[in-house]
Amino acid sequence: MQRDQSLMWKTLHEHIHAPTERPLWIGDHHAVLTALRLRNPEAAYKAMARHIRNVMSELMEADERGRLITGG
């Protein structure tokens, strides 16, 4: 796939698996899953919204620092 050969995609993929980001995002995933298991749509919605905000915030910060394009 062309995406897999993109430097930006490779750098992004490395970033999202970084030890500093992974615990936060895994915690977000657990919160969503727990809410779903409890059949609590409001909690699931809030947990997913928090996760999306966390991801967007981190990726925007990384992009501003140039880490997503340069890998730095």
Side-chain angles (χ1 to χ4, degrees):
M1 207 176 214
Q2 185 176 4
R3 176 193 71 189
D4 296 333
Q5 306 208 351
S6 161
L7 175 60
M8 187 174 86
W9 177 255
K10 287 179 184 178
T11 305
L12 172 62
H13 197 263
E14 289 170 6
H15 180 74
I16 64 174
H17 287 72
T20 56
E21 305 313 320
R22 231 173 128 77
L24 173 65
W25 295 353
I26 288 174
D28 287 348
H29 289 182
H30 284 291
V32 172
L33 183 58
T34 298
L36 292 173
R37 284 183 174 154
L38 294 173
R39 299 183 187 275
N40 185 334
E42 184 178 342
Y45 176 87
K46 288 179 180 179
M48 192 66 218
R50 182 178 57 244
H51 176 57
I52 291 169
R53 282 192 308 272
N54 286 340
V55 170
M56 287 175 50
S57 175
E58 179 52 38
L59 293 179
M60 293 296 283
E61 287 177 27
D63 185 51
E64 288 173 7
R65 291 187 299 258
R67 292 190 337 213
L68 293 184
I69 296 173
T70 64

